[in-house]
Amino acid sequence: MIPFNKPPIIGTELSYMQEAMQSGKLCSDGHFTQRCEEWMEKHFQCPKVLLTPSCTASLEMAAILLDIKPGDEVIMPSFTFVSTANAFVLRGATIVFMDIRPDTMNMDETKIEAAITAKTCAIVPVHYAGVACEMGTIMALAKKHHLYVVEDAAQGVMSTYNGKALGTIGHIGCYSFHETKNYSCGGEGGSILINEPSFIERAEIVREKGTDRSQFFRGQVDKYTWRDIGSNYLMSDLQAAYLWAQLEQANKINQRRLALWKKYYQAA
Ligand SMILES: Cc1ncc(COP(=O)(O)O)c(C=O)c1O
């Protein structure tokens, strides 16, 4: 039996998790969370990366950050995972589904402009199987019509478009570290990439149940209070420790995955 997916295991996951346990700080934003976020910011050239419990959670955060409200329209491909649509439907948006291109299985960028109305707020391209959407066309359309772009890059970690990491081209990007993805953090996990700097402060608040707790931990406020809507969009440091083991060896995991794909492709 050939399994659908086997999550990669590097070998250092347990020792890093033990280190996290011994640090006495297992909740969010510990040592390993910081390492993973800084690694991604540097490696993917992103102003701010925050670890989240899943790509679903990242997409929900994105919908809150864009202030999506009932009546707003959001354009996305019909061929995607449920979370892409759910995140925006939860805020009351109407989803406008686009057909996909048969060659890339990604949204057909030539059909987007005809779908834009006065109610359109955002375009959500999905980089299916890590194959990049036509981001040049999509970003130009977004600029022309004053729309936001949220990249669902759940499957696109370590993939690029014209040399830029997927997830760093739109205003916000969302990654998944679910066990079916190339890099995982012990089952479920994700991150949000904030490419538009004006969203950074609010993203930290939304992720911390609507409080300025992140600022409190940095000593910027003397106590933390409720400031906005939000939820618990934090990842435990124990999971970040697992993820760190994988990010540290991201190239190795990528190369092995590619070699396995080549084997199947040549045998087919
Ligand atoms: C395109 C896409 N978006 C979102 C998700 C949701 O990711 P997660 O399971 O991390 O919430 C997935 C997961 O398979 C996905 O493939």
Side-chain angles (χ1 to χ4, degrees):
M1 254 252 297
I2 301 172
F4 170 67
N5 176 70
K6 250 190 180 175
I9 294 172
I10 281 296
T12 44
E13 288 87 349
L14 267 180
S15 63
Y16 286 153
M17 286 170 86
Q18 251 164 354
E19 208 183 299
M21 284 161 72
Q22 278 153 9
S23 77
K25 182 164 165 55
L26 280 177
C27 66
S28 62
D29 294 334
H31 178 62
F32 284 102
T33 302
Q34 230 169 343
R35 272 201 207 176
C36 292
E37 290 175 349
E38 282 172 11
W39 186 92
M40 284 192 270
E41 284 164 11
K42 193 165 163 232
H43 202 83
F44 302 134
Q45 295 287 293
C46 175
K48 190 75 189 167
V49 176
L50 297 166
L51 293 188
T52 64
S54 62
C55 183
T56 302
S58 304
L59 288 160
E60 288 178 17
M61 275 184 71
I64 293 174
L65 290 170
L66 300 192
D67 278 326
I68 298 293
K69 55 187 185 316
D72 289 347
E73 291 178 5
V74 177
I75 298 174
M76 64 182 64
S78 50
F79 184 59
T80 185
F81 189 66
V82 287
S83 301
T84 323
N86 265 341
F88 295 90
V89 170
L90 278 168
R91 312 243 50 89
T94 300
I95 308 300
V96 177
F97 288 113
M98 286 275 96
D99 279 338
I100 54 163
R101 293 169 41 157
D103 56 344
T104 59
M105 314 287 271
N106 284 332
M107 75 196 293
D108 186 342
E109 69 283 354
T110 64
K111 294 191 174 147
I112 297 174
E113 193 156 30
I116 296 173
T117 71
K119 292 180 182 170
T120 309
C121 284
I123 307 172
V124 186
V126 177
H127 304 294
Y128 184 76
V131 176
C133 294
E134 252 325 308
M135 290 308 290
T137 309
I138 293 170
M139 293 312 290
L141 276 175
K143 196 170 176 198
K144 181 175 163 193
H145 295 275
H146 310 288
L147 306 174
Y148 286 118
V149 175
V150 176
E151 292 176 76
D152 182 338
Q155 307 176 12
V157 183
M158 295 281 284
S159 226
T160 58
Y161 171 84
N162 284 349
K164 267 188 86 71
L166 298 188
T168 68
I169 304 161
H171 301 88
I172 296 174
C174 302
Y175 283 168
S176 174
F177 298 117
H178 183 264
E179 70 169 25
T180 50
K181 305 301 184 293
N182 292 20
Y183 315 93
S184 91
C185 60
E188 306 279 350
S191 66
I192 184 164
L193 290 83
I194 310 288
N195 306 311
E196 168 50 53
S198 62
F199 285 142
I200 294 176
E201 187 180 331
R202 190 161 178 237
E204 285 186 339
I205 288 171
V206 167
R207 180 170 167 261
E208 268 285 11
K209 307 103 183 166
T211 75
D212 52 5
R213 200 179 190 185
S214 303
Q215 291 171 21
F216 172 70
F217 283 139
R218 287 195 295 267
Q220 292 165 321
V221 289
D222 63 351
K223 55 184 174 303
Y224 70 89
T225 54
W226 184 43
R227 301 278 302 279
D228 203 335
I229 61 164
S231 190
N232 187 338
Y233 292 127
L234 303 157
M235 181 193 280
S236 123
D237 210 52
L238 198 60
Q239 278 188 280
Y242 191 110
L243 180 62
W244 176 244
Q246 307 244 316
L247 291 182
E248 229 186 8
Q249 300 287 337
N251 281 325
K252 190 174 165 189
I253 293 173
N254 212 6
Q255 273 155 24
R256 178 168 156 72
R257 189 109 172 179
L258 200 58
L260 287 170
W261 175 82
K262 272 192 184 140
K263 214 178 219 177
Y264 283 114
Y265 190 70
Q266 280 158 5

PDB file of all heavy atoms in Angstrom, residues 7-21:
ATOM      1  N   PRO A   7       4.279  12.320   6.628  1.00  0.00           N
ATOM      2  CA  PRO A   7       4.898  13.566   7.088  1.00  0.00           C
ATOM      3  C   PRO A   7       6.409  13.370   7.264  1.00  0.00           C
ATOM      4  O   PRO A   7       6.840  12.326   7.761  1.00  0.00           O
ATOM      5  CB  PRO A   7       4.235  13.846   8.438  1.00  0.00           C
ATOM      6  CG  PRO A   7       3.088  12.912   8.531  1.00  0.00           C
ATOM      7  CD  PRO A   7       3.334  11.783   7.595  1.00  0.00           C
ATOM      8  N   PRO A   8       7.217  14.336   6.827  1.00  0.00           N
ATOM      9  CA  PRO A   8       8.661  14.160   6.990  1.00  0.00           C
ATOM     10  C   PRO A   8       9.052  14.208   8.467  1.00  0.00           C
ATOM     11  O   PRO A   8       8.447  14.938   9.250  1.00  0.00           O
ATOM     12  CB  PRO A   8       9.230  15.377   6.256  1.00  0.00           C
ATOM     13  CG  PRO A   8       8.149  16.400   6.303  1.00  0.00           C
ATOM     14  CD  PRO A   8       6.862  15.638   6.287  1.00  0.00           C
ATOM     15  N   ILE A   9      10.025  13.409   8.843  1.00  0.00           N
ATOM     16  CA  ILE A   9      10.562  13.483  10.214  1.00  0.00           C
ATOM     17  C   ILE A   9      12.066  13.657  10.082  1.00  0.00           C
ATOM     18  O   ILE A   9      12.743  12.852   9.433  1.00  0.00           O
ATOM     19  CB  ILE A   9      10.182  12.239  11.043  1.00  0.00           C
ATOM     20  CG1 ILE A   9       8.660  12.229  11.253  1.00  0.00           C
ATOM     21  CG2 ILE A   9      10.897  12.239  12.405  1.00  0.00           C
ATOM     22  CD1 ILE A   9       8.117  10.981  11.882  1.00  0.00           C
ATOM     23  N   ILE A  10      12.583  14.704  10.666  1.00  0.00           N
ATOM     24  CA  ILE A  10      13.994  15.033  10.526  1.00  0.00           C
ATOM     25  C   ILE A  10      14.864  14.313  11.566  1.00  0.00           C
ATOM     26  O   ILE A  10      15.990  13.902  11.286  1.00  0.00           O
ATOM     27  CB  ILE A  10      14.160  16.582  10.592  1.00  0.00           C
ATOM     28  CG1 ILE A  10      13.779  17.198   9.237  1.00  0.00           C
ATOM     29  CG2 ILE A  10      15.536  17.017  11.026  1.00  0.00           C
ATOM     30  CD1 ILE A  10      14.663  16.798   8.074  1.00  0.00           C
ATOM     31  N   GLY A  11      14.303  14.157  12.785  1.00  0.00           N
ATOM     32  CA  GLY A  11      15.070  13.457  13.830  1.00  0.00           C
ATOM     33  C   GLY A  11      15.380  14.331  15.029  1.00  0.00           C
ATOM     34  O   GLY A  11      15.644  13.824  16.114  1.00  0.00           O
ATOM     35  N   THR A  12      15.344  15.649  14.848  1.00  0.00           N
ATOM     36  CA  THR A  12      15.650  16.539  15.979  1.00  0.00           C
ATOM     37  C   THR A  12      14.370  17.083  16.638  1.00  0.00           C
ATOM     38  O   THR A  12      14.459  17.853  17.603  1.00  0.00           O
ATOM     39  CB  THR A  12      16.491  17.743  15.490  1.00  0.00           C
ATOM     40  OG1 THR A  12      15.916  18.231  14.270  1.00  0.00           O
ATOM     41  CG2 THR A  12      17.933  17.380  15.248  1.00  0.00           C
ATOM     42  N   GLU A  13      13.208  16.681  16.119  1.00  0.00           N
ATOM     43  CA  GLU A  13      11.944  17.232  16.627  1.00  0.00           C
ATOM     44  C   GLU A  13      11.800  17.009  18.133  1.00  0.00           C
ATOM     45  O   GLU A  13      11.507  17.934  18.895  1.00  0.00           O
ATOM     46  CB  GLU A  13      10.734  16.598  15.902  1.00  0.00           C
ATOM     47  CG  GLU A  13      10.547  17.029  14.462  1.00  0.00           C
ATOM     48  CD  GLU A  13      11.331  16.196  13.463  1.00  0.00           C
ATOM     49  OE1 GLU A  13      12.198  15.397  13.892  1.00  0.00           O
ATOM     50  OE2 GLU A  13      11.089  16.327  12.247  1.00  0.00           O
ATOM     51  N   LEU A  14      12.033  15.734  18.577  1.00  0.00           N
ATOM     52  CA  LEU A  14      11.810  15.417  19.995  1.00  0.00           C
ATOM     53  C   LEU A  14      12.749  16.171  20.913  1.00  0.00           C
ATOM     54  O   LEU A  14      12.350  16.653  21.970  1.00  0.00           O
ATOM     55  CB  LEU A  14      11.958  13.902  20.222  1.00  0.00           C
ATOM     56  CG  LEU A  14      10.670  13.097  20.151  1.00  0.00           C
ATOM     57  CD1 LEU A  14      10.961  11.626  20.394  1.00  0.00           C
ATOM     58  CD2 LEU A  14       9.652  13.607  21.168  1.00  0.00           C
ATOM     59  N   SER A  15      14.024  16.282  20.508  1.00  0.00           N
ATOM     60  CA  SER A  15      14.961  16.968  21.403  1.00  0.00           C
ATOM     61  C   SER A  15      14.626  18.455  21.508  1.00  0.00           C
ATOM     62  O   SER A  15      14.732  19.040  22.584  1.00  0.00           O
ATOM     63  CB  SER A  15      16.414  16.740  20.976  1.00  0.00           C
ATOM     64  OG  SER A  15      16.620  17.290  19.707  1.00  0.00           O
ATOM     65  N   TYR A  16      14.174  19.058  20.411  1.00  0.00           N
ATOM     66  CA  TYR A  16      13.754  20.466  20.495  1.00  0.00           C
ATOM     67  C   TYR A  16      12.495  20.601  21.358  1.00  0.00           C
ATOM     68  O   TYR A  16      12.350  21.555  22.120  1.00  0.00           O
ATOM     69  CB  TYR A  16      13.505  21.049  19.099  1.00  0.00           C
ATOM     70  CG  TYR A  16      14.768  21.337  18.323  1.00  0.00           C
ATOM     71  CD1 TYR A  16      14.775  21.326  16.941  1.00  0.00           C
ATOM     72  CD2 TYR A  16      15.973  21.643  18.969  1.00  0.00           C
ATOM     73  CE1 TYR A  16      15.933  21.597  16.207  1.00  0.00           C
ATOM     74  CE2 TYR A  16      17.132  21.910  18.258  1.00  0.00           C
ATOM     75  CZ  TYR A  16      17.105  21.883  16.879  1.00  0.00           C
ATOM     76  OH  TYR A  16      18.244  22.154  16.167  1.00  0.00           O
ATOM     77  N   MET A  17      11.600  19.625  21.243  1.00  0.00           N
ATOM     78  CA  MET A  17      10.379  19.687  22.053  1.00  0.00           C
ATOM     79  C   MET A  17      10.729  19.539  23.535  1.00  0.00           C
ATOM     80  O   MET A  17      10.164  20.208  24.396  1.00  0.00           O
ATOM     81  CB  MET A  17       9.384  18.612  21.610  1.00  0.00           C
ATOM     82  CG  MET A  17       8.714  18.969  20.291  1.00  0.00           C
ATOM     83  SD  MET A  17       7.768  17.628  19.598  1.00  0.00           S
ATOM     84  CE  MET A  17       6.219  17.841  20.424  1.00  0.00           C
ATOM     85  N   GLN A  18      11.714  18.674  23.817  1.00  0.00           N
ATOM     86  CA  GLN A  18      12.168  18.513  25.209  1.00  0.00           C
ATOM     87  C   GLN A  18      12.765  19.823  25.734  1.00  0.00           C
ATOM     88  O   GLN A  18      12.523  20.231  26.859  1.00  0.00           O
ATOM     89  CB  GLN A  18      13.215  17.421  25.275  1.00  0.00           C
ATOM     90  CG  GLN A  18      12.662  16.201  25.960  1.00  0.00           C
ATOM     91  CD  GLN A  18      13.509  14.974  25.716  1.00  0.00           C
ATOM     92  OE1 GLN A  18      14.470  15.006  24.939  1.00  0.00           O
ATOM     93  NE2 GLN A  18      13.164  13.905  26.367  1.00  0.00           N
ATOM     94  N   GLU A  19      13.534  20.486  24.845  1.00  0.00           N
ATOM     95  CA  GLU A  19      14.128  21.775  25.211  1.00  0.00           C
ATOM     96  C   GLU A  19      13.034  22.791  25.551  1.00  0.00           C
ATOM     97  O   GLU A  19      13.143  23.542  26.521  1.00  0.00           O
ATOM     98  CB  GLU A  19      14.952  22.289  24.018  1.00  0.00           C
ATOM     99  CG  GLU A  19      16.104  23.180  24.400  1.00  0.00           C
ATOM    100  CD  GLU A  19      16.830  23.702  23.160  1.00  0.00           C
ATOM    101  OE1 GLU A  19      17.366  22.893  22.365  1.00  0.00           O
ATOM    102  OE2 GLU A  19      16.848  24.912  22.987  1.00  0.00           O
ATOM    103  N   ALA A  20      11.971  22.778  24.744  1.00  0.00           N
ATOM    104  CA  ALA A  20      10.851  23.706  24.990  1.00  0.00           C
ATOM    105  C   ALA A  20      10.204  23.390  26.338  1.00  0.00           C
ATOM    106  O   ALA A  20       9.895  24.295  27.123  1.00  0.00           O
ATOM    107  CB  ALA A  20       9.828  23.609  23.867  1.00  0.00           C
ATOM    108  N   MET A  21      10.060  22.079  26.639  1.00  0.00           N
ATOM    109  CA  MET A  21       9.437  21.687  27.905  1.00  0.00           C
ATOM    110  C   MET A  21      10.281  22.157  29.083  1.00  0.00           C
ATOM    111  O   MET A  21       9.777  22.607  30.099  1.00  0.00           O
ATOM    112  CB  MET A  21       9.285  20.156  27.959  1.00  0.00           C
ATOM    113  CG  MET A  21       8.160  19.637  27.105  1.00  0.00           C
ATOM    114  SD  MET A  21       8.323  17.888  26.740  1.00  0.00           S
ATOM    115  CE  MET A  21       7.952  17.162  28.323  1.00  0.00           C
TER     116      MET A  21
END
